[in-house]
Amino acid sequence: MTTQVLAVIPARGGSKGVPGKNLATVGGVPLVARAVRACRAARLVTAVVVSTDDPGIADAARAAGAEVVERPADIAGDTATSEAAVLHAMDGWEQRHGTAADVVLLVQCTSPFLTAEEIDGVARAVRDGADTALTVAPFHGFVWRENTGPDGDAGGVNHDKSHRPRRQDRPRDLLETGAAYAMRAPGFRDRRHRFFGRTELVPTDPARVLEIDDPHDLARARALAPLFDGDDAHAAAEAGAAPPPGSGIRPTREDIDAVVLDFDGTQTDDRVLIDSEGRELVAVHRGDGLGIAALRRAGLPLLILSTEENPVVAARARKLRIPVLHGIDRKDLALKQWCEERAIAPERVLYAGNDVNDLPCFHLVGWPVAVAGAHDVVRAAARAVTAAPGGAGAIREIASWILGKELIAS
């Protein structure tokens, strides 16, 4: 039986240090959406909920693929605890879905460089026996506190100021990052606190540890985003510009372990012809078939993933000799399961799409690609955009990025 791992992201509208903080962008993406994306990319997370009292945050959370639980005013003020928000969201989610969470996560928007692997780390620790877990980073600093000595002078907190041991001679200190916590759900409901029972520490990369509490933190995060996110297009994204056709970083074979393709509007021009019997006909591009054949010969796992339950989708997949999942309401969940069954890391998957129902998959994979002519929101969310429109050779173009033009038969 699958362990139900519920990730809760508290994101209230009020913030004194940075007004509108949870909608502030880092790398062109609102902080709340960055947190949602990290959770959705985590392999062990089965559901993501954002708890908020702010309509703008709710819209951004839904666009990123999260469910939203409206937070009441009595737990949305400055003195409200994160635990109260998580408990309320957990109750709401369990009532909505008629199932109980086994593990509940508290994930903070204010840690913009939190990774899916770190989220999986705390979830796995609790799934495998701990009662609680948190992300930590190695810390080697000497901590001081004012007015602690007998004469009111400063004193050491984690050291004796009269003795300066070498770094290698000191015990290993670990700093709580504030990014992600995991709790066994029944125990959390009983104790109403994030720490109880046996707590496990999940070490993280100290270089990525940054909590946004004031404008200087936000400026530093924006400066670091191109380094940690690995996308030179961040400056344009921060300015709100959608990438032009064919722009962005283009993946190579070294970047990709699998290719997943939407169908309507991506392998077709999104038009449907209907005959007098009500049968639907679509037009596809022969060049796309050649590109898919080259990808198949190169040994890349391929999949067609479509919301439409239409015989033409299955017929095209048979023609191309690749698997198909169609009639799928939650494409992102189907994609996550497909990756898990094949031990493929989502960040190594290229997903090509054209419309807003592709966005949840875009937020899951490492290489979201929009075809030219895709919806503006989809183009803005893509890491790369083809020059060719859907149904006009876009898939062959993607294949040429991955394999090189010389490997795609003419």
Side-chain angles (χ1 to χ4, degrees):
M1 183 175 177
T2 302
T3 300
Q4 293 292 324
V5 179
L6 172 65
V8 178
I9 302 168
R12 64 188 184 90
S15 175
K16 292 181 178 179
V18 181
K21 176 170 63 178
N22 289 317
L23 286 176
T25 59
V26 170
V29 180
L31 287 174
V32 65
R34 292 181 70 97
V36 171
R37 291 182 181 185
C39 290
R40 288 174 58 81
R43 295 188 177 192
L44 298 182
V45 172
T46 51
V48 184
V49 170
V50 170
S51 166
T52 188
D53 60 334
D54 184 278
I57 292 174
D59 290 343
R62 291 190 183 98
E67 296 185 47
V68 173
V69 170
E70 184 176 349
R71 194 189 309 188
D74 61 332
I75 58 170
D78 292 342
T79 60
T81 66
S82 296
E83 279 89 345
V86 174
L87 284 165
H88 176 264
M90 185 170 69
D91 287 343
W93 181 82
E94 290 182 342
Q95 291 170 8
R96 181 182 298 171
H97 293 277
T99 189
D102 299 303
V103 179
V104 62
L105 309 183
L106 164 57
V107 177
Q108 302 281 23
C109 297
T110 48
S111 296
F113 304 122
L114 176 67
T115 67
E117 291 75 20
E118 291 162 354
I119 294 169
D120 273 332
V122 293
R124 185 178 298 107
V126 173
R127 183 200 65 180
D128 292 348
D131 294 298
T132 62
L134 71 153
T135 51
V136 296
F139 175 72
H140 303 288
F142 290 102
V143 179
W144 291 77
R145 185 170 298 156
E146 295 177 328
N147 303 320
T148 59
D151 298 321
D153 62 338
V157 174
N158 66 341
H159 68 287
D160 179 352
K161 69 178 184 179
S162 65
H163 176 58
R164 299 290 288 186
R166 297 179 306 166
R167 175 171 164 174
Q168 58 266 38
D169 295 331
R170 298 171 53 202
R172 185 183 184 218
D173 290 326
L174 296 166
L175 180 70
E176 183 176 335
T177 70
Y181 305 83
M183 297 79 71
R184 195 170 299 279
F188 178 63
R189 190 184 300 282
D190 179 56
R191 304 294 184 87
R192 309 182 73 82
H193 193 271
R194 73 188 74 177
F195 298 124
F196 56 89
R198 184 170 73 83
T199 299
E200 187 164 322
L201 305 178
V202 178
T204 62
D205 180 0
R208 302 179 68 92
V209 175
L210 193 159
E211 268 196 289
I212 296 177
D213 291 320
D214 59 41
H216 299 292
D217 297 331
L218 181 59
R220 188 160 60 253
R222 286 172 169 169
L224 289 170
L227 174 64
F228 290 137
D229 293 352
D231 190 343
D232 293 332
H234 283 304
E238 284 286 359
S247 69
I249 300 172
R250 295 176 177 178
T252 67
R253 180 65 182 87
E254 294 180 355
D255 303 313
I256 302 298
D257 287 340
V259 174
V260 179
L261 306 170
D262 175 44
F263 187 73
D264 291 310
T266 301
Q267 298 181 59
T268 77
D269 62 5
D270 222 12
R271 295 185 301 165
V272 177
L273 302 178
I274 303 176
D275 68 12
S276 60
E277 302 296 325
R279 291 171 296 197
E280 295 186 358
L281 301 174
V282 299
V284 295
H285 194 275
R286 287 189 182 276
D288 285 346
L290 292 171
I292 290 172
L295 292 170
R296 192 182 65 244
R297 288 195 302 271
L300 276 165
L302 300 168
L303 174 70
I304 294 175
L305 186 56
S306 175
T307 55
E308 295 293 328
E309 188 168 5
N310 192 323
V312 73
V313 182
R316 180 60 174 167
R318 286 195 299 272
K319 172 75 173 178
L320 297 172
R321 290 187 288 160
I322 63 175
V324 61
L325 295 173
H326 60 125
I328 303 296
D329 292 329
R330 288 290 305 274
K331 295 171 74 172
D332 56 323
L333 294 183
L335 177 55
K336 181 182 283 192
Q337 182 177 350
W338 185 80
C339 289
E340 289 175 350
E341 290 172 350
R342 288 154 185 80
I344 296 172
E347 60 268 22
R348 301 274 304 171
V349 172
L350 183 149
Y351 180 94
N354 76 302
D355 216 333
V356 292
N357 64 348
D358 295 309
L359 286 174
C361 290
F362 269 36
H363 302 325
L364 178 64
V365 302
W367 286 94
V369 174
V371 298
H375 191 286
D376 288 346
V377 173
V378 177
R379 287 163 55 85
R383 195 168 180 182
V385 183
T386 64
I395 307 307
R396 182 174 183 170
E397 181 181 341
I398 292 169
S400 72
W401 295 350
I402 298 170
L403 301 177
K405 292 182 180 180
E406 66 277 4
L407 296 180
I408 308 300
S410 59

